[in-house]
Amino acid sequence: MTSDMTSELVIRALAEDEARTVFTSLSDPGLVGRPLADPPFNAYQTRAAGGEYRPDWTFVAERDGAVVARAAFWAGPGDDEPLALDWFDFTDRAAGVALLREVPLRADYELLLPPGWRDSPAVREAARARVETATEAGWTPLVERYRYLWTPRCGLPERTGRLVLRPEPDDEVVLDVPRGVHGDTLDQHAGRAVEKGGADLAAREEMDFFRWCPSPRAWLRLAYTPGGGLVGIQVPAENTTTPVVGFIGVVSEQRGHGYAYDLLVECTRDLVDHGARRIAAATDVGNVPMAKGFARAGYPVTQHRFCMTRPGGAA
């Protein structure tokens, strides 16, 4: 593909034998985005080399043979369409816009940022440049999220004993719980689904994620008061690289009792019982109750993520 902005700009996907060397040839200080050398969770590697990226979903914009912009899309091993735009970097803003406009793939973009990223002028400028460039190419800012990473050195929080956790094999019974959670949600991704198709669509998207995870569906638990009142749901899970807090949700009528913390503790301890030595998690910056729960449970903020919706909105 050749950009209509200039005949000297060539936009193309990469071949397997050049993917790593060409993709990493862009001169970038690495202030924001994914680090190029942080194996095994962040480094750029193709699937053939043991990584998670496909060369045909990896694109560069070149001028005179030099890479001036790059983008790489990510999906799980069994996915036919990309789930995220993981990498987007450039030394030429016009080339960055052209690259995103011309690539044949679309997915939400998550820009990875260090904690306290607004405190550094250089980091703040690097983030602003990417957000504004992606916006010009058609992406829409959605929300900023905290990303957490628990390890044993954080300490294992004690169970509160206030809830009774039970497995629930019936998907239709489970679906009623996130419906009750998302009827009044503070999560912007769920809110986007609610706007499109109501609480039912948001709940079904959660179930789709649970099924997508390689971890057993049987790990899912519904939570009740000792008297039998439904409180919510907690889903310990594993994605393609690490154990995660898959979902924590308290139904609307049980809000205000601090149950989200109880569910987080249960989820953490369940994952540790399943052998986890590190647990990733995330919540919206604006979801203050959940953020307080993570802090109380000993989860440190290790990253911020600036999330943007793909052109045309969510699928």
Side-chain angles (χ1 to χ4, degrees):
M1 293 180 289
T2 302
S3 169
D4 59 4
M5 298 177 63
T6 171
S7 61
E8 295 180 353
L9 186 67
V10 176
I11 296 173
R12 65 186 183 93
L14 298 181
E16 176 65 44
D17 62 356
E18 64 173 355
R20 173 74 182 175
T21 55
V22 173
F23 190 77
T24 60
S25 68
L26 178 74
S27 176
D28 180 75
L31 297 174
V32 302
R34 294 182 179 273
L36 283 167
D38 185 18
F41 300 103
N42 289 316
Y44 179 86
Q45 293 283 358
T46 64
R47 290 182 180 179
E52 295 193 86
Y53 297 93
R54 294 172 42 166
D56 56 325
W57 287 2
T58 302
F59 302 88
V60 294
E62 296 171 313
R63 268 205 185 94
D64 299 325
V67 175
V68 292
R70 66 184 174 204
F73 292 81
W74 176 89
D79 295 314
D80 296 326
E81 297 182 354
L83 300 182
L85 170 59
D86 261 8
W87 302 78
F88 176 52
D89 307 292
F90 54 87
T91 56
D92 179 323
R93 174 170 174 166
V97 173
L99 176 64
L100 289 189
R101 284 178 175 171
E102 292 197 24
V103 295
L105 303 176
R106 293 291 181 265
D108 287 358
Y109 173 38
E110 286 196 353
L111 173 60
L112 276 55
L113 302 164
W117 63 275
R118 288 182 174 85
D119 297 333
S120 165
V123 173
R124 191 169 62 245
E125 172 59 23
R128 181 200 62 78
R130 282 165 178 77
V131 170
E132 290 186 357
T133 302
T135 300
E136 186 175 344
W139 273 251
T140 303
L142 177 65
V143 69
E144 186 177 334
R145 288 170 65 79
Y146 295 123
R147 198 264 193 181
Y148 305 89
L149 187 65
W150 180 94
T151 61
R153 72 176 60 182
C154 300
L156 191 59
E158 293 293 330
R159 287 187 165 103
T160 66
R162 296 198 301 166
L163 300 177
V164 177
L165 280 294
R166 302 174 189 160
E168 178 50 67
D170 189 332
D171 281 357
E172 289 304 315
V173 175
V174 172
L175 270 168
D176 278 338
V177 184
R179 285 189 191 109
V181 172
H182 290 323
D184 182 22
T185 184
L186 294 175
D187 184 279
Q188 292 302 306
H189 285 87
R192 180 178 62 177
V194 170
E195 288 181 3
K196 182 179 179 181
D200 183 69
L201 177 61
R204 292 187 182 278
E205 286 188 355
E206 300 292 357
M207 286 298 297
D208 288 344
F209 171 71
F210 305 157
R211 296 187 186 102
W212 177 87
C213 288
S215 47
R217 157 70 169 76
W219 287 3
L220 180 154
R221 295 287 188 273
L222 300 188
Y224 301 85
T225 65
L230 177 67
V231 170
I233 182 174
Q234 63 99 351
V235 184
E238 291 178 349
N239 60 26
T240 58
T241 61
T242 190
V244 297
V245 176
F247 186 63
I248 297 290
V250 177
V251 295
S252 298
E253 56 269 27
Q254 295 283 8
R255 303 262 172 88
H257 301 292
Y259 286 136
Y261 173 76
D262 301 57
L263 293 173
L264 176 59
V265 172
E266 295 288 347
C267 193
T268 302
R269 296 188 72 96
D270 280 357
L271 285 167
V272 170
D273 288 344
H274 292 309
R277 301 294 292 172
R278 52 188 285 149
I279 302 170
T283 195
D284 290 4
V285 169
N287 191 343
V288 175
M290 197 68 241
K292 287 182 177 179
F294 277 113
R296 181 181 172 191
Y299 277 72
V301 176
T302 57
Q303 191 180 84
H304 283 226
R305 297 192 176 193
F306 193 100
C307 304
M308 303 184 72
T309 301
R310 70 183 190 176

